[in-house]
Amino acid sequence: MSAEIICVGTELLLGDILNGNAQFLAQQLAQLGIPHYYQTVVGDNPERLKQVIEIAISRAQILIFTGGLGPTPDDLTCETIADFFKVPLVERSDIIEDITQKFAQRGRVMSPSNRKQALIPQGAEILPNRTGTAPGIIWQPRPEITIFTFPGVPSEMHLMWEETAVPFLKSQGWGKEIIYSRSLKFWGISESALAEKVSSYLKLPNPTVAPYAGKGETRLRVSAKATSEAAAEALIAPIEKQIKEIAGLDFYGVDNDTLASVVGELLRTSKETLSVAESCTGGGLGQMLTEISGSSNYFWGGVISYDNSVKVGLLGVNQEDLDKFGAVSAIIAEQMAVGVKTRLATTWGLSITGIAGPTGGTDTKPVGLVYIGLAGPKDEVTSFEYQFGTVRGRALIRHVSANAALDNLRRKLLTR
């Protein structure tokens, strides 16, 4: 048995609204151990919605609808579901009374159009909406099919799911097993290269391992189905350990870890401090570091040396080197790192200089060229060159540059 999520609303198709309801429901289904293999988004069109229902009942036994339960003419979910299964709509007086009371509590009179929300398929049970005016339904139009409908408003849907849908599903025997996932995070290795390294693990039945990538990093999702979270973690643990050993330094964290939080913990543990000098990232690296609670224990501050006069005046960059090699160069990155480390009296100095675009690139120094400088406690200084390309776009180049800088510091802290 599996579930299918069907989100109704032309605004979703147009991209006007982010479909967070599907993400929430997918996570909730996993917690109940209910597999779901398909999600569908359909506009406010009854014929297309019927086509979606026809397909969904051929491959899933639990159909979960969100959206289309309001009082306006384009809210057609319940009406269309009833029509598909050839069942009449009936007006429920208890729903009308509930809506009337809610309007009265707000000092308003219920609009006649709201009576539409009291029409549900004959034989369906009400799925109460404690905070809004649009109730949902729990209905089995056929013995093998269970339908849930929810309003599209996330706060209403979440509460209705937790208060009514989850207890109902558990009463039907669901929730005895869960699907628990752990996300392993990697930096400095592509999705394809990582997949090759762990190819044998991608064929496991339980736990399963799947790669995915985004914003410069690669992840492996390790998911286990078990009777409890502890049992699932026990299945995941040996696989996680083996993958970490294979990946080596390319592995940096799990779940909610970020490169900034991992680096911060390494600095805190070693009682060392960090300062940064940024050009093309414009403060993005400092922002990543200061988003971590407690970062004031190890992060002293930074200099946004966007103009060359700041590089020279505040960071002590050599003007002759600047004229000869340009601001985007290894030697300038190194001098920036040494300069900020010296002036802020920190253990480590980290710098970034590059061309984020979309303009400013040349044949020899194209958009996406970035240099990172790292100055350490024993007066050692090194630099790293990256070519992130033009297709990433300015915001993403800045993002991956800042994370690449943190990754280089992380590797240095782990291997010195």
Side-chain angles (χ1 to χ4, degrees):
M1 182 174 285
S2 65
E4 181 155 344
I5 299 168
I6 301 171
C7 299
V8 183
T10 303
E11 68 278 7
L12 295 170
L13 290 175
L14 293 174
D16 293 338
I17 296 177
L18 185 66
N19 193 4
N21 285 346
Q23 180 185 36
F24 171 82
L25 289 168
Q27 293 168 342
Q28 292 294 308
L29 290 170
Q31 290 181 18
L32 291 168
I34 301 176
H36 99 277
Y37 307 118
Y38 302 95
Q39 295 179 6
T40 303
V41 177
V42 61
D44 302 301
N45 180 285
E47 293 308 314
R48 285 192 282 273
L49 181 53
K50 287 179 184 178
Q51 292 172 12
V52 166
I53 297 170
E54 183 71 47
I55 295 170
I57 62 174
S58 71
R59 61 191 184 190
Q61 295 73 46
I62 300 173
L63 276 56
I64 305 172
F65 293 81
T66 68
L69 302 186
T72 60
D74 62 343
D75 290 312
L76 300 167
T77 298
C78 265
E79 178 182 334
T80 304
I81 293 172
D83 189 36
F84 178 87
F85 289 103
K86 303 188 184 313
V87 172
L89 291 169
V90 294
E91 186 177 85
R92 292 284 296 262
S93 58
D94 48 349
I95 296 177
I96 293 177
E97 182 179 352
D98 178 66
I99 297 173
T100 302
Q101 289 178 354
K102 286 173 178 172
F103 270 88
Q105 290 169 359
R106 301 167 189 169
R108 299 166 57 193
V109 177
M110 185 187 81
S111 169
S113 63
N114 286 98
R115 295 183 71 94
K116 177 181 180 180
Q117 295 174 300
L119 296 171
I120 67 172
Q122 189 175 55
E125 296 295 325
I126 297 172
L127 204 167
N129 183 346
R130 187 153 54 88
T131 57
T133 61
I137 64 169
I138 301 176
W139 186 34
Q140 291 183 298
R142 296 176 186 174
E144 73 281 5
I145 300 294
T146 300
I147 288 176
F148 295 85
T149 67
F150 296 91
V153 179
S155 59
E156 296 178 18
M157 188 267 288
H158 292 185
L159 192 63
M160 294 165 69
W161 174 265
E162 292 162 0
E163 289 186 341
T164 306
V166 170
F168 175 85
L169 288 166
K170 286 185 174 180
S171 75
Q172 302 299 302
W174 293 103
K176 294 179 180 178
E177 287 189 312
I178 65 165
I179 301 171
Y180 176 81
S181 296
R182 193 158 172 83
S183 180
L184 310 184
K185 298 183 174 183
F186 308 82
W187 191 274
I189 185 171
S190 68
E191 180 183 4
S192 58
L194 181 61
E196 287 180 11
K197 281 191 171 186
V198 299
S199 58
S200 60
Y201 294 88
L202 304 182
K203 302 172 185 177
L204 294 174
N206 189 31
T208 60
V209 180
Y212 59 106
K215 290 191 174 182
E217 73 175 13
T218 302
R219 300 186 185 187
L220 289 177
R221 185 186 64 249
V222 187
S223 301
K225 190 170 187 178
T227 55
S228 68
E229 186 173 313
E233 287 180 333
L235 290 172
I236 289 172
I239 303 302
E240 178 180 341
K241 182 175 182 292
Q242 293 163 27
I243 289 174
K244 287 179 182 178
E245 291 173 351
I246 292 170
L249 282 175
D250 290 331
F251 168 81
Y252 80 82
V254 299
D255 294 337
N256 294 322
D257 287 340
T258 64
L259 281 163
S261 69
V262 170
V263 166
E265 182 59 23
L266 290 170
L267 290 170
R268 188 192 64 78
T269 301
S270 62
K271 297 182 179 180
E272 295 178 314
T273 55
L274 171 67
S275 57
V276 300
E278 303 182 59
S279 184
C280 67
T281 45
L285 176 56
Q287 181 182 11
M288 287 181 178
L289 288 162
T290 54
E291 282 178 349
I292 307 304
S293 178
S295 58
S296 59
N297 291 317
Y298 51 81
F299 179 56
W300 264 207
V303 175
I304 304 174
S305 54
Y306 217 59
D307 188 80
N308 287 343
S309 64
V310 181
K311 294 179 178 70
V312 175
L314 286 183
L315 298 176
V317 168
N318 185 281
Q319 183 65 59
E320 292 182 1
D321 290 334
L322 195 60
D323 295 338
K324 181 177 180 180
F325 299 104
V328 182
S329 60
I331 191 169
I332 299 304
E334 292 175 5
Q335 290 180 20
M336 288 169 62
V338 172
V340 76
K341 172 184 176 293
T342 302
R343 281 155 178 74
L344 273 66
T346 54
T347 316
W348 297 90
L350 191 57
S351 71
I352 305 173
T353 179
I355 306 169
T359 60
T362 66
D363 290 340
T364 55
K365 294 186 177 182
V367 170
L369 177 65
V370 173
Y371 289 93
I372 292 166
L374 178 61
K378 298 180 180 179
D379 295 328
E380 72 272 28
V381 60
T382 187
S383 59
F384 310 88
E385 179 183 322
Y386 292 90
Q387 177 47 259
F388 293 123
T390 60
V391 295
R392 293 176 181 264
R394 180 178 178 83
L396 189 52
I397 288 173
R398 289 157 62 103
H399 175 83
V400 296
S401 297
N403 272 310
L406 290 167
D407 183 60
N408 280 299
L409 176 55
R410 175 186 68 89
R411 290 170 187 261
K412 185 67 173 179
L413 290 166
L414 290 171
T415 58
R416 55 184 169 162

